[in-house]
Amino acid sequence: MKYTSIALAALAVFATAAHAATPMMSAEWTAQACDAFNKDPVLTGGLGEKWIKNDKGRGFKIIHLFRTDCGEPTQTEMKIVAKDGKAVCVYGGAVQNHQMDYAVDYTMHATTDRWDEMGAGEYGPMKAMMFGRLKFTGPKMEAMSVMGPFEHFLLLPGKIPGDKACPAK
């Protein structure tokens, strides 16, 4: 009986370690965010109407994300394309497009605590931007025109488990 208890305790420790969440905004986490993006009809449909069309003829938009407290070198990337009238995430992971065009692309960052608050739906993009809780570079007027879908984008950190440890640089 004593050995069974020890074995079960050890198994629980290993199971917990095996299922530990990846760091929030790591390359692995961003791949999961890409999948979640594609499963949200407000994001795919709402951003597919006009937002995705502002791509300067490249056929894609890039979003870089990072946690301010972890530093800019930890940023990751999502690549969004137009497909069948929808905005579709085709890549989420390590940065591949280092040269951003801020007439069409976005870089967003906030502290871990702020990402958690936005992910929990405590407030949306308007409050996040007005109070400086979410910092971003990109076409601000365009962002203002898609507040509904943008709010769904900010909920992604609440949908995807993420460890509080900073991602590897």
Side-chain angles (χ1 to χ4, degrees):
M1 183 70 165
K2 184 177 181 180
Y3 292 111
T4 303
S5 296
I6 292 171
L8 287 174
L11 183 61
V13 168
F14 288 123
T16 301
H19 292 293
T22 183
M24 183 193 327
M25 307 242 168
S26 65
E28 298 83 8
W29 185 95
T30 305
Q32 293 175 42
C34 185
D35 291 337
F37 181 104
N38 291 336
K39 292 175 183 167
D40 187 321
V42 174
L43 283 170
T44 58
L47 296 177
E49 294 171 11
K50 62 180 178 175
W51 179 85
I52 193 62
K53 294 174 185 167
N54 176 30
D55 66 7
K56 284 195 164 181
R58 302 179 308 176
F60 63 89
K61 289 174 87 73
I62 298 296
I63 301 171
H64 284 181
L65 302 165
F66 68 98
R67 292 164 38 203
T68 309
D69 41 321
C70 294
E72 192 172 346
T74 64
Q75 64 186 307
T76 58
E77 176 176 298
M78 294 176 76
K79 184 175 186 177
I80 316 294
V81 302
K83 185 176 180 182
D84 300 326
K86 296 186 183 290
V88 178
C89 184
V90 295
Y91 173 78
V95 171
Q96 293 181 334
N97 294 277
H98 296 280
Q99 194 68 17
M100 300 289 278
D101 182 342
Y102 289 117
V104 297
D105 298 327
Y106 295 83
T107 295
M108 293 183 242
H109 64 97
T111 64
T112 301
D113 289 343
R114 297 301 188 193
W115 281 116
D116 284 343
E117 291 167 0
M118 290 180 286
E122 292 181 24
Y123 49 86
M126 187 66 74
K127 182 175 180 178
M129 291 186 298
M130 284 180 58
F131 290 102
R133 295 174 181 182
L134 174 68
K135 310 274 192 230
F136 84 95
T137 306
K140 290 183 177 27
M141 292 306 290
E142 177 182 76
M144 297 292 283
S145 73
V146 289
M147 281 293 158
F150 189 30
E151 185 164 357
H152 277 242
F153 185 85
L154 295 181
L155 292 172
L156 291 175
K159 294 179 180 180
I160 301 150
D163 190 283
K164 301 297 181 231
C166 286
K169 296 180 184 183

